[in-house]
Amino acid sequence: MAARLEQLLQGKPVFVNAGVRGFGDSLREAGYEVVYLDWSPPAGGDARMAEILDDLL
Amino acid sequence: MVRTTVILKNRYFDSVFLMQVAQRIKAQQGISDASALLATPANRQILAAMGYAGLDGAGPGDLALALEGEPAAVAAVAAGPEAWLSRGPAAPGAPREPRSFAEAVAARPDCGVAVISVPGAHAAREARAALEAGLNVFLFSSNVAVEEERALKLEARERGLIVMGPDCGTAFLGGAGIGFANTVRRGPIGLVGSTGTGMQEFSSLVHQAGSGISNGIGTGGRDLADAVGGISTMAGIEALENDPGTKVIAVLAKPPEPAATARLLERLGRCPKPVVLCLLGADIPGAAATIDDAVGLALTAAGLPAPAGGAVDLRERAAAMAAELRPEQRHLRGLFAGGTLCYQAQAIFRKAGLAAHSNAPLRGMTALADPMASRETSFIDLGAELFVEGRPHPMIDATLRRQRLEQEGRDPSVAVVLLDFILGAMASADPVGDLLGAIASVQGARRRMGGRLWLVASVTGTDLDAQGLQAQTRALAEAGVLVLQSGARAAALCRELMLLTARKEVG
C-alpha cells in the first residue's frame, strides 16, 4: 500500500498549495515546482453553507 | 494622534499576508501603529484592549484594519484600504490559477502532494478534495474534528495515500522540507513524527552532527490517539521500511495512551531496520526520553559517533549563575514558540522533582487558570490555540512573545527566562532580532532592581537555514543570553539552577 507515498520519497515531488502562500513560496525557493490554488472560503466563508452546497452538488 | 478601525466585510486573506500588509502600512510616515487581522473574537478582544473601537458587529469572516497615527496619514490609509490589500498584478500572460485540486491535477498530472493551510472550518473539505484528486496531503490547518481526521486517514489508506495532519507543521519528502522545516542534508535517518518542532529539533541536531535525513513523515499531534489509531504513523513506518535511502527509522511522539504505545512497540518490533523510539517524557525501557537522546541513538544505529554532553558542567555553570541572584529570585519563566520544546522542558523538570505551571501542562504539572498570567515557575506554549487564533504563529510573528517577555522579565521573583528560537522556512527572517529589544529592556529593568536576570536559550536550525545558525547564536551571546546546543540542554541548565534556588529556599 501507499505506493504513491513511496514514489514520492524517492522522486522529486510536485506540490499544490492551498491557503497561506508562504508554504508554496518556501518550496519554490528551494527548487520545487508548486501549483497555487486560487483559494477563498466557499460560500463567502460560511462553512455550514458550504456543506449544504456540497450535499446538493 | 488618532485611532481608526476600518471593517471590510467578507474579506479572507491568510494571516501571514495580513501581517505583511500591517508592516507596510506601519512603515508609512505619520502611522505609529497598524494591525490587519480577521475579526475573530480573540482578535476583537486584543484590538479593543489596545483602544480601538468600532469592532462590534464584525465577525471572523471580516477583515479589521486598525490604524493609529497622525490624522491625515490615518485618513489617507482608511480612505483607500484596497490599495494595501492588492497582491500586485499577475505577470502578463501568466495562466489563471486553478480553483480546485481536481483542476490543478488535470493541468499538472505529476502533482503529488497537497499543502493545505486554509482556516480549520474548511480544512477537512479541502483535504477530502485533494485525496479524491489522488494527492497525498500535508494538512497544516488545525481545528479539524477527530472523527473527520480518522475518516480522512481511512480514505487515504484506501487510496494508497497519506494524510499528514491536521496540525502538521513539518515534513521532509524526497528532499523537500515542507512547512516549518530546516534545511538539512539528506542522509540515512528516516523520521516519523507527530510533533513539528520536535522534527525540526531532531533533524537540525542530526545535521549538526554531520549526518542527514532521508525522509520525514509528519502525522499530526493526534494520530496515535485511540480515536485515530495511528493510521498515518503506521503508513509512514511502512513507507520508510520500503525506502532504500533509509537505514534507521526514528519515531518521535508525545506519549500516547498505553494501548497505542503497545501497538506501536509491537509494530516497531517487526521492523527489519534499526528503530529509535522517542516518546517525550515517558519512561519506557529502551525508548529515548529527550530529542537529544533520540538523536544520539539514531546516529549510533547509523554507525556514526553521537555528540557528547555531560550534566556536570551544567551544574557548575548553574552554581555560578545562582551566585548572582537576589534571594527573591526563585522562579523560571519558559516562553516557547515551539510546543514540543515546552513539553520536553517540563518533562526534564518533572524528572528532577521540580513543580511547574503551564498553559499546556504535562501530566503532573499544574494547569494555569489564566494562560495570560504566569505563576511561580511556568512554562508557556505561545503556539497554543488561544494565542494563534486568527494571527500568525509565534515562530513568524514575535509580537505576543515580546510583550510576554517584557511582562515576565519585570516580575521580581523571576531568576531565569528560558527561550527557544526556531529558524528555517516559514519562520521569521530574524527570530533573535525580533526579541533583542525586549531582552535588553528586561535586563535593564532587573539591573535597576538589583540582581541579575538570566536568559537561557536554544536555537533550532542549521548553517544552511536562511537566518543562519551561527549569526543567530552570536547575536544572542552578544546580548548576554546563554545559548545551549539544544532545547533539552537549555532546559537542563535551568533545571540545575532551579534545584539550587529551591535548596536555598529550604535552607
Side-chain angles (χ1 to χ4, degrees), chain B residues 179-195:
Chain B
F180 290 77
N182 302 92
T183 309
V184 300
R185 76 176 74 73
R186 289 197 89 178
I189 299 169
L191 183 57
V192 178
S194 67
T195 85

Side-chain angles (χ1 to χ4, degrees), chain A residues 21-39:
Chain A
R21 289 183 83 88
F23 282 99
D25 294 345
S26 308
L27 287 161
R28 205 172 254 192
E29 280 158 27
Y32 293 85
E33 284 190 79
V34 180
V35 177
Y36 292 88
L37 285 198
D38 178 13
W39 191 87

